[in-house]
Amino acid sequence: MQLLGGLSPEEFLQEYWQKKPLLIRNAWDKFPELMDYARLSALAQRDDVESRIIEYKNERWKAESGPFRPARLARLPETDWTILVGNVNHLVPHIAELLYQFNFLPYTRLDDLMISYAPPGGSVGPHYDSYDVFLLQVGGKKRWQISSDDASGFIEDAPIRVLKDFNPEQEWVLEHGDMLYLPPMYAHHGVAIEPGMTYSIGFRAPKTQEIAGKFLEFLQDELCLDGMYSDPDRQPTTKPAEIDNEFVAQMGEMLKKITWNDDTVRRFVGSYFTEPKPHVFYDQPDDPIDIEDFTSAIASGGIAIDTKALMLYESDRVYANGEALEFAPEALPFLRQLADQRKLPAANYPESLITILYECYEYGYLQLS
């Protein structure tokens, strides 16, 4: 793959993935158009977009969260700042297409494509991420220093996670189209030499605590436990405020009825990993076409998953927007194809498939091509 510097996905995963960094020169040159600062700053002014400005002034770090007013952006100096905009793949189709070039990894791991712009001196400081990341340079030049030593801890009063001590072990200057892969917990420090952008392709790595909490929330809607507390052999007490052992033991027996199996976990994964982030809302069609015209439109142009949406499947279930879809069995192979390729080509499809596609279209999960 050009994207991996000539390595096959198998070679990359075996030798580098979550193991060691990889610098790839000329990793990507298929840009149908380039994002510029004007377009990125326009996104940073939207209230449905996560954005930040990070400055280094008077030897102190400063961070602000968007949305930003035009007047604030106009006050930015000529050097030493960075603006970051997350989930640009939700808003710009060709950015989404670039993100899904990394589909040699499962969509359950692929998170988003964030774009940062920096003039000379712009940086977010030496830090490390808890997830894998590909850093693609787009325009300009940026000096990257990396280190396997991340044990120094972070500056305590800084508004962002900046390492107290950073001792670089390797250094490169990335130019347009160059890309750097970094495994989790690998310290890195990028400083812009010339105005340019970094496209950061990040991967989901949820913490065990987060998964456990979300799974327990999921179980609330899954559980249907019989029985209720009873104590027909209760004896009088002289300590009415005491939580006695017998009561605790019965509570424990009631809680043991909370069980799950692999099927429960599969349904949780399908639900959790397709649920949109809190700031994401789907654009439902204001005036949806009727199902007959919808069928004709797919036959002539095909259909695609909306850039904000994710569709996953396992066994005979297909998930979107945190829910399992309901569909006829003959629609399953087409839905799997749609989920994998994120689009279906123009064709005459069975009515059973059209029915579920039309429902997803009305919700805003799908867009006609």
Side-chain angles (χ1 to χ4, degrees), residues 100 106-110 204 266 268-275 305 309-325 327 332 335-336 338-340 342:
Y100 289 107
Y107 293 153
T108 50
R109 292 285 273 116
L110 193 58
R204 296 185 72 167
R266 285 178 176 276
F268 162 70
V269 169
S271 172
Y272 175 68
F273 281 89
T274 59
E275 187 174 352
I305 298 176
L310 180 63
M311 186 177 287
L312 298 174
Y313 63 84
E314 52 86 20
S315 185
D316 59 352
R317 299 189 186 97
V318 180
Y319 302 86
N321 193 38
E323 297 180 353
L325 303 179
F327 53 88
L332 179 59
L335 291 173
R336 286 181 169 182
L338 173 61
D340 281 331
R342 294 191 57 82

Side-chain angles (χ1 to χ4, degrees), residues 1-17 22-28 101-105 134 136 177 179-181 203:
M1 291 182 67
Q2 175 191 355
L3 194 65
L4 298 176
L7 294 174
S8 70
E10 293 80 7
E11 290 171 327
F12 170 76
L13 293 175
Q14 183 176 4
E15 187 172 353
Y16 293 96
W17 179 252
L22 175 64
L23 174 67
I24 307 166
R25 295 293 187 186
N26 301 311
W28 193 250
Q101 294 295 317
F102 293 83
N103 63 0
F104 56 90
L105 290 156
F134 289 88
L136 175 64
M179 186 167 69
L180 177 63
Y181 162 73
F203 291 80

Side-chain angles (χ1 to χ4, degrees), residues 14 21 67 185 199 226 270 352:
Q14 183 176 4
M185 314 302 287
Y199 288 15
D226 296 327
S352 58

Side-chain angles (χ1 to χ4, degrees), residues 7-216:
L7 294 174
S8 70
E10 293 80 7
E11 290 171 327
F12 170 76
L13 293 175
Q14 183 176 4
E15 187 172 353
Y16 293 96
W17 179 252
Q18 299 210 322
K19 301 175 185 70
K20 60 183 180 180
L22 175 64
L23 174 67
I24 307 166
R25 295 293 187 186
N26 301 311
W28 193 250
D29 60 8
K30 299 179 177 64
F31 296 96
E33 56 182 300
L34 295 179
M35 295 285 292
D36 57 14
Y37 171 66
R39 191 172 180 184
L40 192 69
S41 61
L43 293 178
Q45 297 173 49
R46 294 174 49 161
D47 58 9
D48 61 342
V49 172
E50 294 181 322
S51 58
R52 290 183 297 161
I53 291 175
I54 296 175
E55 292 185 86
Y56 189 67
K57 298 173 61 175
N58 301 320
E59 298 186 351
R60 294 183 65 86
W61 292 98
K62 179 181 177 182
E64 301 174 58
S65 296
F68 297 101
R69 296 180 179 274
R72 173 65 187 99
L73 299 174
R75 295 198 307 271
L76 289 169
E78 294 184 359
T79 61
D80 301 327
W81 57 269
T82 301
I83 187 168
L84 306 98
V85 179
N87 290 110
V88 181
N89 51 290
H90 286 176
L91 304 166
V92 183
H94 81 266
I95 297 296
E97 291 178 8
L98 173 57
L99 175 66
Y100 289 107
Q101 294 295 317
F102 293 83
N103 63 0
F104 56 90
L105 290 156
Y107 293 153
T108 50
R109 292 285 273 116
L110 193 58
D111 191 6
D112 77 329
L113 194 154
M114 179 182 71
I115 296 182
S116 63
Y117 170 88
S123 174
V124 298
H127 65 285
Y128 62 81
D129 299 313
S130 58
Y131 50 84
D132 303 85
V133 65
F134 289 88
L135 302 167
L136 175 64
Q137 186 67 25
V138 180
K141 296 180 181 180
K142 178 176 280 190
R143 176 178 291 105
W144 283 101
Q145 297 173 317
I146 67 172
S147 173
S148 58
D149 178 13
D150 57 14
S152 68
F154 297 104
I155 298 174
E156 294 179 1
D157 60 346
I160 57 175
R161 288 158 54 94
V162 178
L163 291 168
K164 292 179 182 178
D165 297 304
F166 177 68
N167 302 302
E169 299 169 347
Q170 293 176 279
E171 178 179 312
W172 305 281
V173 173
L174 269 63
E175 302 187 25
H176 179 68
D178 295 340
M179 186 167 69
L180 177 63
Y181 162 73
L182 293 172
M185 314 302 287
Y186 220 98
H188 51 286
H189 185 202
V191 181
I193 299 173
E194 299 174 353
M197 296 193 179
T198 299
Y199 288 15
S200 300
I201 296 91
F203 291 80
R204 296 185 72 167
K207 295 181 179 179
T208 304
Q209 180 69 31
E210 175 187 347
I211 290 296
K214 293 296 183 180
F215 182 62
L216 291 175

Side-chain angles (χ1 to χ4, degrees), residues 240-260:
E242 181 183 30
I243 301 173
D244 60 80
N245 292 337
E246 182 181 348
F247 185 80
V248 172
Q250 191 164 346
M251 291 295 107
E253 290 300 316
M254 295 171 75
L255 292 174
K256 287 178 182 178
K257 294 183 178 181
I258 302 174
T259 61
W260 61 84

